Amino acid sequence: MVNTCQWGHNVRSCEESGRIARHGWLANLLPAPGGEELTRGFLQEVVDILLGYISKSSQRSSKVLDFHHPHQLKEGLECFSLDLPDQPETLEQILVDCRDTLKYGVRTGHPRFLNQLSSGLDVVGVAGEWLTSTANTNMFTYEVSPVFVLMEECLLKKMQSILGWSDDVGDGIFCPGGTISNLYSILVARYHFYPEVKTRGMGVLPQLALFTSEQVITPHTLLLTPYSSYVDNEWLYFHPFQSHYSVKKSAAVLGMGSENVFMVKCDESGKMIPAELESSIVTAKEKALVPFYVNATAGTTVYGAFDPLNAIADICQRYTLWMHVDVSVELFNFKYLFSRACSVTWNPHKMMGVPLQCSAILVKKRGLLQECNDFGAEYLFQTDKNYDVSYDTGDKSIQCGRHVDVFKLWLMWKAKGSEGFGSQVNKCLENAEYLYDQLQRRTDFELVLKNKPEHSNVCFWYIPPSLRGQPPGPDRDARLHQVAPRIKGRMMEKGSVMIGYQPLGDKVNFFRCVFSNPATQQEDIDFLLDEITRLGDI
Ligand code: ABU
């Protein structure tokens, strides 16, 4: 006999309904015999929760977040507790846990989530991620991931053609995030020049030097610096310009030493100055270091600045250096700009809106990743398999197990086409221009960079009434430095909008608005500025 259980789905009897609800529901899900109905019911409930969340995330009347301090979440809220039980929870509680996990998180797909380079909620991407989890396989061999391995190859080829690389030279691999992609670029560059490092280690190598833009701040570097000053009984910290911390971190991880990363001076708009790169190379040589690697940035984290890639490529060619480009933006608007790079980091989880995480390292020397990283574990990479084992791509990686990050990107690419991605990005660029125009018109805001945004980042200060008309100087700086964090805190507590802030170089805390969220419209930008004014004037 089939009945309807308390969550509205058919079960075999009332007794079973009660039993399942209390304890045994888990044991009755598939693969338990006859578990289809209950499994469908459970997953349908989860889908309903996800649908409710997705739909609410797109409504401007919803909050971007329901902020709680860590201690509040740890103590537990209403029906939500992080503590792990010894006895199984009921199905009802599991569904509450799902709902509450989303409730107390941040709606990164909300049109007013402008906090991060990765944002948005792409429904096709979500479907891709769900399918990926359902397949629950590993990217290391064709044996267990035949379709995903070929999808990775197909995506990498497409991406290489957009970079302007010919079909037969390129290689690559998807890896867990941009920092790891950058780490790969240094790893393969070092191997390219010094293949003996793989077996004999750093001891047989000269002291190597790396170069990167000073532009992107290191979040961990709150040191007293020559820029610090003591104002109003507190230290005011100015960050020195710092290279993207992934380069320093990688140099440390790879045994080259973070102090051997030279941070090349940038111009006012945040672009690496080629003459400064050249003089840093000369300085490194004078210190008996051996330059081998330059990281150029296409879209710095804060300003969205593009380093002059051609001039940097000329210098790399002159000194025989590996040129890597860390692309934090997208590449549809910049086809072929990267043709001279030896390697490129491309993060589809940023401007392309692919659900986190989705990052690729592309290397313009086929076979290098494999040679650099392979160890041919015989329990995985047998050479006498019944298929072409060149598709067992896992040994290109420094990982063993590798998550399938490719399917959601492949599916989104199918759904949108390259043109769809291009228009999605263009909309973000239009938003950046609109914000820039609005900021120019308003007297309560001040742009950090006077020129039109190069990409989708716009940086600005809010000037509260008490600071308007105050002459520039340390006192004004000290007060202005406190404005953005104070407003940001209020925004989060209210849950109305989210935007990032940071100091940079000699500039005190300013807001960085970055557009990568396809849901954001001009009305959200108007709201953002009005909300900052409302919260800042309190
Ligand atoms: N390099 C990571 C970017 C972080 C951000 O969204 O600002």
Side-chain angles (χ1 to χ4, degrees), residues 116-117 244 301 350 512:
Q116 238 58 67
L117 288 165
H244 191 278
T301 308
K350 290 185 177 164
R512 175 201 70 165

PDB file of all heavy atoms in Angstrom, residues 116-117 244 301 350 512, ligand 1:
ATOM      1  N   GLN A 116      33.344  40.536  -4.486  1.00  0.00           N
ATOM      2  CA  GLN A 116      34.404  39.626  -4.914  1.00  0.00           C
ATOM      3  C   GLN A 116      34.482  39.555  -6.419  1.00  0.00           C
ATOM      4  O   GLN A 116      33.499  39.820  -7.116  1.00  0.00           O
ATOM      5  CB  GLN A 116      34.077  38.223  -4.368  1.00  0.00           C
ATOM      6  CG  GLN A 116      35.128  37.593  -3.478  1.00  0.00           C
ATOM      7  CD  GLN A 116      35.473  38.412  -2.267  1.00  0.00           C
ATOM      8  OE1 GLN A 116      34.661  38.586  -1.372  1.00  0.00           O
ATOM      9  NE2 GLN A 116      36.675  38.947  -2.247  1.00  0.00           N
ATOM     10  N   LEU A 117      35.635  39.148  -6.908  1.00  0.00           N
ATOM     11  CA  LEU A 117      35.777  38.938  -8.354  1.00  0.00           C
ATOM     12  C   LEU A 117      34.968  37.731  -8.825  1.00  0.00           C
ATOM     13  O   LEU A 117      34.632  37.609  -9.988  1.00  0.00           O
ATOM     14  CB  LEU A 117      37.249  38.714  -8.703  1.00  0.00           C
ATOM     15  CG  LEU A 117      38.143  39.958  -8.604  1.00  0.00           C
ATOM     16  CD1 LEU A 117      39.602  39.572  -8.613  1.00  0.00           C
ATOM     17  CD2 LEU A 117      37.851  40.894  -9.760  1.00  0.00           C
ATOM     18  N   HIS A 244      51.064  40.261  -6.135  1.00  0.00           N
ATOM     19  CA  HIS A 244      50.028  39.304  -5.761  1.00  0.00           C
ATOM     20  C   HIS A 244      50.657  38.247  -4.884  1.00  0.00           C
ATOM     21  O   HIS A 244      51.702  37.694  -5.188  1.00  0.00           O
ATOM     22  CB  HIS A 244      49.410  38.645  -6.996  1.00  0.00           C
ATOM     23  CG  HIS A 244      48.192  37.894  -6.595  1.00  0.00           C
ATOM     24  ND1 HIS A 244      48.269  36.632  -6.057  1.00  0.00           N
ATOM     25  CD2 HIS A 244      46.895  38.250  -6.581  1.00  0.00           C
ATOM     26  CE1 HIS A 244      47.041  36.232  -5.760  1.00  0.00           C
ATOM     27  NE2 HIS A 244      46.193  37.200  -6.063  1.00  0.00           N
ATOM     28  N   THR A 301      44.016  42.882  -8.944  1.00  0.00           N
ATOM     29  CA  THR A 301      42.875  42.607  -8.072  1.00  0.00           C
ATOM     30  C   THR A 301      42.110  43.865  -7.683  1.00  0.00           C
ATOM     31  O   THR A 301      40.879  43.863  -7.662  1.00  0.00           O
ATOM     32  CB  THR A 301      43.368  41.885  -6.796  1.00  0.00           C
ATOM     33  OG1 THR A 301      44.139  40.769  -7.207  1.00  0.00           O
ATOM     34  CG2 THR A 301      42.220  41.422  -5.946  1.00  0.00           C
ATOM     35  N   LYS A 350      35.861  33.673 -12.234  1.00  0.00           N
ATOM     36  CA  LYS A 350      35.755  35.117 -11.985  1.00  0.00           C
ATOM     37  C   LYS A 350      34.758  35.728 -12.980  1.00  0.00           C
ATOM     38  O   LYS A 350      33.574  35.495 -12.871  1.00  0.00           O
ATOM     39  CB  LYS A 350      37.139  35.745 -12.029  1.00  0.00           C
ATOM     40  CG  LYS A 350      37.982  35.307 -10.799  1.00  0.00           C
ATOM     41  CD  LYS A 350      39.311  35.968 -10.720  1.00  0.00           C
ATOM     42  CE  LYS A 350      40.026  35.535  -9.441  1.00  0.00           C
ATOM     43  NZ  LYS A 350      41.452  35.846  -9.468  1.00  0.00           N
ATOM     44  N   ARG A 512      36.387  49.193  -3.269  1.00  0.00           N
ATOM     45  CA  ARG A 512      36.599  48.628  -4.604  1.00  0.00           C
ATOM     46  C   ARG A 512      35.294  47.956  -5.011  1.00  0.00           C
ATOM     47  O   ARG A 512      34.843  47.021  -4.372  1.00  0.00           O
ATOM     48  CB  ARG A 512      37.699  47.584  -4.593  1.00  0.00           C
ATOM     49  CG  ARG A 512      37.839  46.899  -5.960  1.00  0.00           C
ATOM     50  CD  ARG A 512      38.529  45.552  -5.886  1.00  0.00           C
ATOM     51  NE  ARG A 512      37.709  44.537  -5.232  1.00  0.00           N
ATOM     52  CZ  ARG A 512      37.955  43.217  -5.302  1.00  0.00           C
ATOM     53  NH1 ARG A 512      38.998  42.778  -5.959  1.00  0.00           N
ATOM     54  NH2 ARG A 512      37.181  42.353  -4.671  1.00  0.00           N
TER      55      ARG A 512
HETATM   56  N1  ABU B   1      42.933  36.892  -6.265  1.00  0.00           N
HETATM   57  C1  ABU B   1      41.738  36.544  -5.599  1.00  0.00           C
HETATM   58  C2  ABU B   1      40.710  37.641  -5.814  1.00  0.00           C
HETATM   59  C3  ABU B   1      39.958  37.908  -4.626  1.00  0.00           C
HETATM   60  C4  ABU B   1      38.818  38.867  -4.876  1.00  0.00           C
HETATM   61  O1  ABU B   1      37.737  38.459  -5.234  1.00  0.00           O
HETATM   62  O2  ABU B   1      38.991  40.060  -4.711  1.00  0.00           O
END
